[in-house]
């Protein structure tokens, strides 16, 4: 899994855009939805196709957003869309038709397969996830059951028979810390900008921000400094961080802001387009969209501003000592 996606040959940006998925042209959107309808029909299920979902005769709804993004981001281009759609529909229907894992798996096995998952607050149905914990601005933590072909996000009703919520979360965090770092890349330039990116096929890669200390230790061999770290979770398969040790974090902040915004766009499992300051386990948002929706801006509060001033003063002090 690479950091920067090479775009396949597709309709140009001057082609009319699909009204629901702007990363597709109108023609691509029509083809994509036709493939979805065909794939369901191949499995004996007639569906009504809408802009962002399909429904069957029983009223079951299947969202199309993530699948559309998967097709869009596959470097092989539209020639592989039929296989991608067919595989996805098959997986969804197997999961829907199979007995619930909550009914067939022993409780201890369920607990062993629990993981915390960080998701964007927008779109989360709070009526079914009242237990969801605020992680930071626009971010929520829920619990998920990891299954061979899918991830089951657990609602209030699903969690209730499993035991105490605090215990379940502790178990989920324990499981999260045990995950391996699948891949790691360093993003840097000639101007001194540098940050680290953990990548992986795991749906919980970005959620490892909840266990950042262990991730930083495994990737860098060092502990998180007292001043914390910059972090970004553009989508579920990436976690970027920069440990704050000096004024190098200014360049890292700007670089990570662009990285997060770009990674968030048109990706399956999108979480947040922003950069956050991780400090003692608390996340503070540092980047935002311009008011007109175009471009990015850095927004810092008093505490982070004081940190920045201290780092600048410390660096100037060291420079002065060297000059003396």
């Amino acid at each position: 899994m690479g950091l920067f996606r090479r775009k396949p040959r597709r309709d140009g940006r001057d082609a009319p855009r699909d009204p629901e998925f702007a990363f597709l042209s109108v023609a691509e959107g029509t083809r994509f939805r036709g493939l979805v309808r065909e794939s369901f029909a191949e499995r004996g299920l007639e569906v009504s196709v809408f802009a962002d979902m399909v429904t069957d005769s029983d009223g079951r709804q299947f969202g199309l957003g993530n699948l559309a993004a998967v097709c869009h981001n596959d470097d092989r281009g539209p020639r592989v869309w039929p296989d991608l759609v067919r595989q996805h529909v098959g997986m969804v229907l197997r999961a829907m038709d199979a007995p619930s894992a909550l009914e067939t798996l022993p409780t201890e096995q369920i607990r062993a397969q629990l993981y915390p998952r960080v998701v964007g607050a927008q779109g989360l149905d709070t009526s079914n996830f009242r237990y969801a914990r605020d992680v930071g601005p626009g971010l929520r933590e829920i619990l998920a059951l990891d299954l061979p072909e899918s991830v089951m996000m657990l609602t209030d009703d699903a969690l209730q028979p499993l035991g105490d919520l605090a215990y379940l979360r502790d178990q989920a965090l324990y499981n999260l810390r045990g995950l391996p770092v699948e891949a790691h890349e360093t993003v840097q330039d000639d101007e001194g900008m540098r940050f680290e990116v953990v990548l992986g096929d795991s749906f919980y890669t970005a959620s490892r921000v909840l266990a950042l200390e262990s991730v930083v230790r495994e990737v860098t061999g060092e502990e998180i400094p007292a001043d914390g770290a910059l972090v970004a979770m553009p989508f579920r398969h990436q976690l970027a961080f920069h440990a704050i040790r000096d004024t190098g974090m200014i360049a890292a902040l700007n670089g990570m802001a662009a990285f997060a915004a770009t990674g968030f766009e048109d990706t399956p499992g999108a979480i947040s387009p922003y950069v956050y300051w991780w400090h003692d386990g608390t996340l503070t948002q540092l980047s935002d969209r311009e008011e007109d929706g175009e471009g990015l801006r850095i927004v810092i509060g008093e505490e982070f501003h004081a940190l920045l001033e201290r780092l600048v003063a410390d660096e100037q002090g060291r420079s002065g000592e060297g000059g003396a």
Side-chain angles (χ1 to χ4, degrees):
M1 177 180 294
L3 290 177
F4 303 102
R5 304 182 298 276
R6 185 183 74 256
K7 296 296 184 186
R9 184 171 296 174
R10 297 266 298 280
D11 290 348
R13 293 298 299 183
D14 56 341
R17 310 318 296 169
D18 185 89
E20 183 65 32
F21 306 122
F23 47 82
L24 301 178
S25 69
V26 168
E28 289 170 340
T30 299
R31 183 187 179 199
F32 165 72
R33 293 180 181 88
L35 290 171
V36 171
R37 183 195 297 273
E38 291 174 10
S39 295
F40 275 101
E42 287 173 1
R43 292 179 172 270
L45 192 64
E46 293 298 324
V47 295
S48 298
V49 182
F50 300 94
D52 62 344
M53 67 178 181
V54 300
T55 63
D56 66 9
S57 58
D58 292 329
R60 295 183 299 181
Q61 298 181 352
F62 308 88
L64 298 180
N66 277 350
L67 179 56
V70 167
C71 290
H72 167 65
N73 284 293
D74 196 296
D75 291 340
R76 296 168 295 177
R79 66 184 177 85
V80 301
W81 289 7
D83 287 338
L84 292 176
V85 172
R86 194 174 296 114
Q87 292 167 9
H88 181 83
V89 169
M91 180 183 68
V92 167
L93 290 180
R94 284 193 297 273
M96 293 289 291
D97 295 337
S100 172
L102 295 174
E103 298 174 356
T104 59
L105 294 179
T107 301
E108 285 308 311
Q109 186 173 346
I110 291 174
R111 291 171 179 167
Q113 295 173 205
L114 277 182
Y115 291 89
R117 187 169 176 189
V118 175
V119 298
Q122 186 175 11
L124 184 67
D125 182 2
T126 54
S127 65
N128 287 319
F129 294 90
R130 292 185 298 275
Y131 75 91
R133 188 176 73 93
D134 288 343
V135 177
L139 302 172
R140 300 290 185 273
E141 175 199 317
I142 61 174
L143 296 182
L145 179 62
D146 193 55
L147 299 170
E149 284 194 320
S150 63
V151 170
M152 180 188 295
M153 298 195 298
L154 300 179
T155 63
D156 298 292
D157 291 341
L159 280 177
Q160 196 276 330
L162 299 180
D164 178 69
L165 178 60
Y167 171 79
L168 294 174
R169 182 173 183 270
D170 286 345
Q171 180 65 50
L173 283 171
Y174 174 82
N175 296 338
L176 184 72
R177 293 188 182 98
L179 291 176
V181 171
E182 297 179 53
H184 158 242
E185 297 185 26
T186 299
V187 178
Q188 56 187 333
D189 64 16
D190 295 336
E191 303 300 320
M193 184 274 296
R194 177 188 176 106
F195 58 91
E196 313 300 326
V197 183
V198 173
L199 312 95
D201 291 329
S202 168
F203 276 47
Y204 314 104
T205 301
S207 300
R208 298 187 69 172
V209 70
L210 301 172
L212 190 66
E213 300 98 328
S214 62
V215 175
V216 172
R217 190 181 307 116
E218 183 172 352
V219 170
T220 69
E222 300 179 320
E223 301 294 331
I224 298 180
D227 289 326
L230 306 176
V231 296
M233 302 137 282
F235 65 109
R236 64 194 179 203
H237 300 296
Q238 288 186 354
L239 170 63
F241 69 86
H242 171 88
I244 299 175
R245 304 184 189 280
D246 51 38
T247 56
M249 69 94 160
I250 299 173
L253 174 56
N254 289 318
M256 289 175 67
F259 175 83
T262 300
F264 176 81
E265 296 293 336
D266 314 334
T267 52
I271 298 176
S272 174
Y274 306 126
V275 179
Y276 298 83
W277 175 31
W278 184 100
H279 189 227
D280 292 334
T282 298
L283 292 177
T284 303
Q285 186 176 325
L286 298 178
S287 66
D288 204 348
R289 298 283 190 188
E290 293 285 3
E291 292 184 3
D292 59 5
E294 299 293 332
L296 300 167
R297 60 192 176 109
I298 303 300
V299 182
I300 60 175
E302 293 182 3
E303 189 176 359
F304 191 81
H305 185 264
L307 165 62
L308 182 58
E309 287 188 328
R310 174 167 55 79
L311 292 175
V312 170
D314 289 347
E315 188 160 301
Q316 290 175 342
R318 287 193 297 271
S319 176
E321 292 174 2

